[in-house]
């Protein structure tokens, strides 16, 4: 099992090019099931998750080739509708194939995703929406099974803003019979980008960027040909690393608007930011100031940056309060940061972080994707060496992280 060995204390300096967004690529990969033919996706990050999703598609009968950052997916010969537990349990986003399979083939057998490292991840909104569209879905031995489904348009309101359920129902609705209205949808750039990719294939979607989508089903779609948007969470993670180490980093190939809430929070910490059309420079001369963080659906502060921001607050000059309103139990990074000397008191879904003068290197364990990123950031600023175990979690969502950090002057080495 790979580990990362990091020697802290060096300010990050230089430029880094941000990869395509994992959370934008995965739903678009699922959407290739909606139309037979050869689909082309550019700027796709080479990650465990995109490779896992490619395997799910191949199991369904698609032909997938990954050259550089270009994915070519031929779904003309898809001949299975089963997404097996072995794969779905490693990546819950596999559930995205459910809607497209029902929309195109009228049947599906998709494993219920398990929980994840920090707790349950329900899919009730996905199932309720598809059932509202006429899909009779049964749960049989841990699988979601749909047979003889003919999706019809419906009016669906989400009690909770859900990225996944919005993407799922959008994909189901574009081929359904008649009109669908989705109320209280997620506005994450990943969702808007999916909608734009579908419109480019002939889908009829009104209201992208608003909380209400009106979708008119069509008979068929053309194959997708799209470029995946940059990863706003990767960009914000590097910005947090710059803040943590008192460095100056230029993030290249980003969309500043996609990570505005996180960037503004770093400005509150005392960082100076310069925003360009597709780049942001983050300079952080001194010790971060304490801040209060409450995670919200986009355009609010993203839950996917909560753990990374906690690392920055761990060395701030004062006390910060961090509340995660999206996931109440997404705090597995807290005990690991504490092993490095962080002083964090957790009360339910609120963490009170008393900044310390410095963190100390230690042996720590990655538990999930963004918790791992938090440990990397902490290690970059800690005194001495940190050995992070189970970094396959990192490899799920960050492409060649140690190379990118090394190019910014960090002392990072992958040890087997
Ligand atoms: C997406 O997960 C992201 N994953 C997550 O990023 C991200 O943390 C999350 O959105 C929130 O922004 C991908 O895009 C692949 P949700 P998703 O449905 O779609 C509740 C990462 O680090 N909910 O928006 O699963 C849910 O429990 C990953 O890259 C239901 O109650 O998240 C949560 O409280 C981790 N029922 C809230 O909604 C449902 O059917 C938001 O979850 C679905 C969700």
């Amino acid at each position: 099992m790979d580990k990362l060995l990091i020697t802290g204390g060096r300010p990050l300096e230089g430029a880094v090019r941000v990869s395509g967004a994992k959370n934008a690529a995965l739903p678009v990969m699922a959407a290739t099931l909606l139309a037979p033919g050869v689909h082309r996706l550019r700027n796709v990050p080479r990650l465990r998750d995109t490779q896992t999703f490619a395997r799910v598609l191949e199991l369904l009968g698609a032909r997938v080739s990954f050259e550089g950052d270009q994915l070519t997916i031929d779904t003309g010969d898809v001949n299975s509708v089963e997404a097996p537990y072995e794969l779905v349990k490693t990546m819950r986003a596999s559930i995205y194939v459910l809607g497209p399979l029902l929309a195109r083939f009228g049947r599906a057998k998709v494993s219920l995703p398990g929980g994840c490292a920090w707790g349950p991840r329900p899919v009730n909104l996905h199932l309720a929406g598809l059932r509202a569209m006429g899909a009779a879905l049964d749960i049989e031995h841990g699988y979601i099974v749909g047979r003889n489904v003919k999706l019809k348009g419906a009016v669906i309101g989400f009690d909770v803003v859900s990225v996944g359920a919005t993407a799922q129902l959008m994909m189901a609705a574009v081929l359904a019979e008649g009109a669908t209205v989705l109320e209280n949808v997620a506005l994450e750039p990943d969702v808007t980008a999916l909608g734009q990719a579908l419109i480019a294939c002939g889908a009829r979607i009104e209201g992208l960027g608003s909380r209400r989508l009106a979708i008119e089903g069509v008979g068929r779609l053309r194959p997708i040909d799209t470029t995946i948007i940059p990863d706003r969470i990767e960009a914000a993670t590097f910005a947090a690393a710059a803040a943590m180490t008192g460095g100056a980093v230029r993030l290249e190939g980003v969309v500043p608007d996609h990570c505005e809430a996180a960037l503004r929070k770093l400005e509150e910490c005392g960082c100076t930011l310069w925003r360009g059309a597709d780049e942001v420079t983050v300079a952080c001369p001194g010790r971060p100031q304490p801040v209060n963080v409450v995670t919200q659906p986009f355009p609010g502060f993203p839950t996917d940056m909560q753990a990374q921001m906690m690392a920055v607050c761990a060395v701030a000059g004062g006390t910060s309060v961090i509340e995660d309103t999206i996931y109440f139990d997404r705090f597995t990074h807290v005990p690991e940061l504490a092993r490095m000397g962080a002083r964090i008191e957790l009360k339910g879904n609120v963490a009170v972080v008393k900044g310390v003068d410095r963190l100390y290197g230690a042996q720590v364990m990655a538990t999930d994707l963004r918790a791992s990123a938090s440990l990397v950031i902490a290690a970059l600023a800690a005194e001495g060496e940190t050995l992070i175990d189970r970094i396959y979690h990192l490899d799920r969502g960050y492409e060649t992280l140690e190379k990118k950090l090394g190019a910014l002057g960090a002392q990072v080495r992958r040890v087997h």
Side-chain angles (χ1 to χ4, degrees):
M1 206 177 288
D2 283 3
K3 301 174 172 32
L4 271 191
L5 184 62
I6 298 176
T7 305
R10 299 214 185 155
L12 296 190
E13 309 276 355
V16 60
R17 175 154 291 277
V18 164
S19 299
K22 161 176 89 80
N23 293 350
L26 297 175
V28 175
M29 288 176 76
T32 64
L33 292 166
L34 289 167
V38 179
H39 305 256
R40 291 197 197 311
L41 283 59
R42 279 173 295 281
N43 198 32
V44 179
R46 199 171 272 274
L47 302 164
R48 281 170 65 97
D49 275 8
T50 45
Q51 271 143 6
T52 302
F53 212 103
R55 285 221 328 273
V56 171
L57 293 174
E58 284 171 339
L59 272 181
L60 297 173
R63 274 192 297 281
V64 183
S65 71
F66 212 154
E67 274 110 40
D69 70 0
Q70 170 149 343
L71 254 185
T72 306
I73 303 174
D74 182 347
T75 57
D77 298 336
V78 167
N79 53 16
S80 162
V81 293
E82 180 166 348
Y85 174 66
E86 292 70 32
L87 278 181
V88 176
K89 73 177 176 187
T90 66
M91 183 187 62
R92 67 175 256 106
S94 315
I95 186 99
Y96 277 148
V97 302
L98 179 60
L101 288 173
L102 292 174
R104 180 164 158 211
F105 299 102
R107 54 201 181 87
K109 182 179 177 189
V110 177
S111 169
L112 271 171
C116 73
W118 70 77
R121 301 278 297 277
V123 290
N124 59 309
L125 298 175
H126 297 241
L127 302 182
L130 291 168
R131 285 172 169 144
M133 295 178 74
L137 300 177
D138 300 311
I139 305 297
E140 295 170 7
H141 309 293
Y143 279 79
I144 305 161
V145 181
R147 301 181 184 84
N148 311 319
V149 167
K150 180 84 193 84
L151 292 176
K152 291 185 177 47
V155 179
I156 298 161
F158 295 111
D159 305 342
V160 177
V161 172
S162 161
V163 170
T166 303
Q168 181 85 260
L169 273 302
M170 194 198 297
M171 289 189 282
V174 294
L175 288 183
E177 201 177 295
T180 296
V181 173
L182 302 179
E183 299 275 0
N184 197 28
V185 299
L187 301 178
E188 272 68 3
D190 316 314
V191 170
T192 303
L194 171 67
Q196 287 161 343
L198 291 172
I199 289 171
C201 305
R204 295 172 58 189
I205 304 173
E206 303 282 329
L208 274 184
S210 80
R211 290 281 180 207
R212 183 182 186 277
L213 296 179
I215 300 168
E216 188 64 40
V218 294
R220 57 186 293 282
L221 293 173
R222 294 183 296 278
I224 290 171
D225 185 337
T226 190
T227 298
I228 299 301
I229 58 173
D231 194 319
R232 60 200 165 92
I233 304 300
E234 182 191 14
T237 301
F238 277 108
M244 189 79 184
T245 58
V249 171
R250 189 171 72 249
L251 310 168
E252 296 179 340
V254 299
V255 177
D257 287 355
H258 289 179
C259 37
E260 191 54 28
L263 296 177
R264 221 178 294 128
K265 193 54 71 177
L266 290 171
E267 280 175 321
E268 260 186 74
C269 280
C271 296
T272 307
L273 271 66
W274 292 271
R275 292 170 179 77
D278 64 352
E279 64 174 44
V280 177
T281 297
V282 185
C284 315
R287 182 177 186 180
Q289 295 305 309
V291 289
N292 294 332
V293 175
V294 181
T295 67
Q296 297 290 351
F298 191 88
F301 187 93
T303 173
D304 288 353
M305 275 302 297
Q306 180 257 102
Q308 298 92 310
M309 202 63 220
M310 190 178 292
V312 177
C313 293
V315 294
T319 298
S320 304
V321 178
I322 299 179
E323 178 182 2
D324 200 326
T325 67
I326 310 291
Y327 297 110
F328 300 154
D329 41 11
R330 190 179 192 171
F331 292 100
T332 52
H333 43 288
V334 169
E336 298 304 314
L337 289 171
R339 300 198 67 251
M340 299 175 73
R343 290 181 55 201
I344 305 167
E345 201 184 327
L346 199 48
K347 296 179 186 131
N349 64 325
V350 179
V352 178
V353 185
K354 286 188 176 48
V356 293
D357 293 345
R358 72 175 45 262
L359 296 175
Y360 295 90
Q363 277 195 279
V364 291
M365 186 176 75
T367 52
D368 66 77
L369 171 54
R370 305 304 175 182
S372 327
S374 168
L375 298 178
V376 169
I377 291 177
L380 290 169
E383 185 176 294
E385 277 192 351
T386 299
L387 188 62
I388 306 177
D389 198 357
R390 301 192 182 181
I391 56 159
Y392 58 85
H393 290 292
L394 264 183
D395 296 337
R396 293 191 53 174
Y398 290 96
E399 193 177 33
T400 64
L401 184 64
E402 69 268 26
K403 257 171 63 184
K404 289 177 176 174
L405 287 172
L408 293 171
Q411 258 190 295
V412 188
R413 194 159 56 85
R414 183 179 284 254
V415 295
H416 304 287

